[in-house]
Amino acid sequence: MSKYHEMPGHLIRRAHQASTALFHEHMSREGIDITPFQFAAMSAIKLNPGVDQATVAAWVACDRATMGGVVDRLVEKKFVERTVSPKDRRARVLTLTDSGAEVLSHIEKVAARVQDEITHGLNAEERETLVHLLHKVSQNSPK
């Protein structure tokens, strides 16, 4: 067997594929049209109502242009409202709509089940170690 199959980068990619597939499967089963990225953006907005797009992009580790598209889709779905910032007319601030907050509450419950399925077979200590190590590895990304 090739050493490739033991490389952390390969295993992280495979884990990402599995977690994304599980997320989509569960959301589809619930009749929710949402991506993991959209979920991350909505979660950030929920924690910081009135936050600007650039800050959400930084929090979910993506570029501004990509976040613009993510927010466009969330606005189209009427989950997020985008308005001009009262502090800086060039900036756009984001808040969850009532329907966005309602669907996010449901998504959070489904996402918790997804996390349990992703880490199936790990005990609580192993899961905590995995999360700790993934945090450390994620700090290695380019700034």
Side-chain angles (χ1 to χ4, degrees), residues 54-130:
T55 301
V56 174
W59 286 339
V60 299
C62 81
D63 60 88
R64 288 179 177 195
T66 300
M67 182 51 62
V70 169
V71 171
D72 287 345
R73 287 182 284 289
L74 291 171
V75 168
E76 287 171 15
K77 293 176 183 183
K78 303 205 183 319
F79 292 161
V80 169
E81 184 175 67
R82 176 176 32 204
T83 56
V84 175
S85 170
K87 296 176 188 169
D88 179 354
R89 306 275 316 146
R90 297 168 296 170
R92 301 293 177 262
V93 294
L94 308 171
T95 54
L96 291 179
T97 62
D98 289 343
S99 64
E102 185 177 317
V103 78
L104 180 58
S105 177
H106 185 69
I107 293 167
E108 289 169 336
K109 292 175 183 112
V110 177
R113 292 193 304 267
V114 171
Q115 302 317 297
D116 289 341
E117 195 168 330
I118 290 168
T119 57
H120 177 76
L122 300 180
N123 64 36
E125 184 180 330
E126 290 169 329
R127 182 176 171 157
E128 188 176 311
T129 299
L130 175 65

Side-chain angles (χ1 to χ4, degrees), residues 10-21:
H10 170 72
L11 294 170
I12 290 168
R13 183 184 64 79
R14 296 275 301 152
H16 178 259
Q17 287 175 321
S19 68
T20 300

